Amino acid sequence: MASVYDLKPAFQGLLRPLCRGLARLGVTANQVTVAAMLLSLATGAFLAARPGARGPLLLVPAVLFVRMALNAIDGMLAREYGMKSALGGLLNELGDVVSDAALYLPLALVPGIEPWAIVVAVLLAALTEMTGVVAVQIGASRRYDGPMGKSDRAFVFGVLCLALGVGARTGWWTDFVLGAILAALVLTVLNRGRKALREVKALTPGPSPGPPSPHTRERGARRRKVRG
């Protein structure tokens, strides 16, 4: 399914000069990963401290964009500058889940937003990432399939916070958006699981035919006798 994640190669191309500059300065991939997580935690704390104010919501789209840029940069630093590590992989996966929770859970405090919908969305978001990681454990590649991957969530929640920040009132449209997010998250979990299982099946060789049974050998001997 189409996803904002499909735009990642072009986004990385725009960030490559900045990535080279950071590498020359000695900035590591893990430092960038931690910076993205700390930025998300600080923004989430600020939102939670002012749940009724609309101004702080305007920060969310900008922070989500910066976070996506940092996530792209840490990956490029790791791959292109020899900074891959087990710690980096762990930080990358955990950082995404922590950052999502930090940025989105405070929205449950916004007047007019259904708190349960935000909590369930955060739980499902964590489940999508878990499904993507478990794919590696069963022998498939890390799955990033949509329609509601990390980048898609950032886009949708960013637009939602922007609309609320500029003065849009909560109501049926926010309920609709959150319902669509939940449905898309469930579909993402199913999609990633299905693609992972299909990939494993394609990579698994079929069973060997094995030796013929006594019945098969006897039948073959009869055929040879008749032909002789």
Side-chain angles (χ1 to χ4, degrees):
M1 288 188 173
S3 169
V4 175
Y5 183 79
D6 297 333
L7 302 175
K8 186 175 181 179
F11 190 45
Q12 288 178 328
L14 295 174
L15 294 171
R16 189 157 276 110
L18 176 58
C19 186
R20 284 196 296 266
L22 292 174
R24 283 196 295 266
L25 291 173
V27 177
T28 68
N30 288 353
Q31 289 171 341
V32 175
T33 303
V34 172
M37 185 165 51
L38 292 177
L39 174 64
S40 300
L41 288 168
T43 304
F46 183 60
L47 290 173
R50 304 184 64 188
R54 294 187 177 269
L57 293 172
L58 294 175
L59 286 175
V60 177
V63 170
L64 286 170
F65 181 81
V66 172
R67 177 194 163 198
M68 284 195 297
L70 292 175
N71 286 340
I73 289 171
D74 69 4
M76 287 190 289
L77 286 172
R79 289 189 305 273
E80 299 174 13
Y81 294 90
M83 298 183 188
K84 281 187 176 182
S85 66
L87 176 60
L90 186 64
L91 287 174
N92 186 59
E93 296 296 347
L94 292 178
D96 285 341
V97 176
V98 170
S99 295
D100 271 5
L103 287 170
Y104 304 147
L105 276 178
L107 298 180
L109 303 175
V110 175
I113 293 289
E114 293 289 348
W116 69 267
I118 296 295
V119 173
V120 173
V122 170
L123 290 174
L124 286 174
L127 189 57
T128 64
E129 299 310 313
M130 180 181 177
T131 307
V133 173
V134 169
V136 178
Q137 187 176 0
I138 65 173
S141 59
R142 172 61 162 93
R143 301 306 310 183
Y144 295 98
D145 310 277
M148 194 53 67
K150 178 177 63 178
S151 301
D152 307 292
R153 294 193 297 270
F155 176 78
V156 175
F157 275 105
V159 171
L160 175 64
C161 289
L162 179 62
L164 294 174
V166 298
R169 295 181 178 276
T170 56
W172 68 267
W173 73 273
T174 50
D175 293 339
F176 176 82
V177 170
L178 290 174
I181 290 173
L182 295 179
L185 284 168
V186 171
L187 184 58
T188 301
V189 173
L190 296 175
N191 201 27
R192 290 185 179 187
R194 179 173 57 85
K195 293 286 184 66
L197 292 173
R198 182 185 298 173
E199 185 178 350
V200 171
K201 185 177 180 180
L203 294 173
T204 303
S208 58
S213 65
H215 178 69
T216 303
R217 287 197 299 268
E218 182 181 351
R219 189 167 50 190
R222 289 174 183 171
R223 288 200 188 105
R224 287 193 295 271
K225 185 175 181 181
V226 171
R227 289 172 185 169

